[in-house]
Amino acid sequence: KNEVEQSPQNLTAQEGEFITINCSYSVGISALHWLQQHPGGGIVSLFMLSSGKKKHGRLIATINIQEKHSSLHITASHPRDSAVYICAVNAYNTDKLIFGTGTRLQVFP
Amino acid sequence: GAVVSQHPSWVICKSGTSVKIECRSLDFQATTMFWYRQFPKQSLMLMATSNEGSKATYEQGVEKDKFLINHASLTLSTLTVTSAHPEDSSFYICSAHNTGTVRTPNYGYTFGSGTRLTVV
């Protein structure tokens, strides 16, 4: 079993839909990251969370430390949101990231 | 915001030759740089961690003599794939770790844009 699990693996949506991607982890962490990888391969860091909730534009990320679970929400989805979304965590006392397998999102007009 | 410049973005080379990939942090000092490899539709696989001024730490199964990493300054780390073979064809991406701790405002990871290597 992977230390970081994401669901769903693939997700398709119509433009305007509300999207949720889930991440569960089994190790103790100091931080959780949500990353976006575009078709060209470049990776952008969206959020770093250690507790609570963060919002940036149409993106919202939440984390529940007790339940070891995080969600990434996209409101009013748009075709340009199509990408792979990756959850990654810092385990305690390490700078290394442990990655989930990613969620491939396609938003159709 | 923090930017990591990675070059080249793609390279095609002949078997047996060496290829150097550069990652440069443009507006911050990166004491730690991570090098990843990614196969199609798979997640990132950590190859090695490089710290400025010291030898890189390689993950199990990664040949340090084949994937040479140099981190000579706080803003530049390089990965050289030596004697490349077709099985080395992959997407390589670096990530710079901002200095500080989780509580430091600038703490975090900034990724390069990646290098697609094709060995023919």
Side-chain angles (χ1 to χ4, degrees):
Chain A
K1 192 179 189 298
N2 292 336
E3 291 169 304
V4 180
E5 297 269 0
Q6 280 184 243
S7 64
Q9 283 190 311
N10 295 284
L11 185 56
T12 57
Q14 277 311 114
E15 184 172 356
E17 285 185 8
F18 180 83
I19 289 170
T20 297
I21 300 170
N22 295 300
C23 175
S24 296
Y25 53 92
S26 56
V27 296
I29 68 167
S30 55
L32 180 143
H33 305 259
W34 280 102
L35 311 171
Q36 181 190 52
Q37 184 169 31
H38 286 282
I43 294 176
V44 174
S45 179
L46 298 175
F47 294 103
M48 183 183 73
L49 295 161
S50 52
S51 65
K53 176 180 174 179
K54 286 190 176 180
K55 184 175 189 294
H56 185 257
R58 295 180 294 107
L59 302 178
I60 303 166
T62 63
I63 187 168
N64 185 317
I65 297 292
Q66 287 72 31
E67 294 185 3
K68 293 187 174 178
H69 180 269
S70 175
S71 293
L72 176 69
H73 305 287
I74 305 175
T75 60
S77 59
H78 190 275
R80 64 174 175 265
D81 297 325
S82 298
V84 175
Y85 292 83
I86 302 169
C87 172
V89 302
N90 287 110
Y92 285 135
N93 300 319
T94 177
D95 290 344
K96 294 181 188 179
L97 288 174
I98 306 171
F99 294 90
T101 51
T103 296
R104 190 172 299 273
L105 170 66
Q106 285 186 296
V107 182
F108 294 99
Chain B
V3 175
V4 171
S5 175
Q6 183 170 347
H7 293 280
S9 55
W10 60 271
V11 58
I12 301 173
C13 71
K14 290 185 177 179
S15 284
T17 61
S18 295
V19 173
K20 181 186 279 189
I21 300 169
E22 282 192 359
C23 271
R24 198 178 292 270
S25 57
L26 298 186
D27 49 3
F28 67 99
Q29 293 181 333
T31 54
T32 304
M33 193 80 81
F34 301 93
W35 287 95
Y36 300 94
R37 183 173 181 175
Q38 187 179 34
F39 292 104
K41 299 196 175 181
Q42 293 189 22
S43 193
L44 297 165
M45 182 187 79
L46 180 65
M47 299 174 67
T49 303
S50 76
N51 291 292
E52 183 265 338
S54 62
K55 288 184 180 179
T57 303
Y58 290 81
E59 296 299 300
Q60 195 171 11
V62 178
E63 297 175 60
K64 61 182 179 183
D65 293 331
K66 179 163 187 64
F67 299 100
L68 299 178
I69 289 172
N70 184 281
H71 194 158
S73 78
L74 284 170
T75 59
L76 176 64
S77 178
T78 61
L79 166 68
T80 301
V81 182
T82 62
S83 188
H85 288 101
E87 56 264 32
D88 298 325
S89 299
S90 189
F91 186 71
Y92 294 87
I93 191 165
C94 64
S95 171
H97 187 200
N98 291 350
T99 56
T101 67
V102 175
R103 292 183 177 80
T104 302
N106 290 328
Y107 177 89
Y109 300 84
T110 303
F111 289 81
S113 53
T115 298
R116 193 161 303 282
L117 169 64
T118 302
V119 185
V120 297

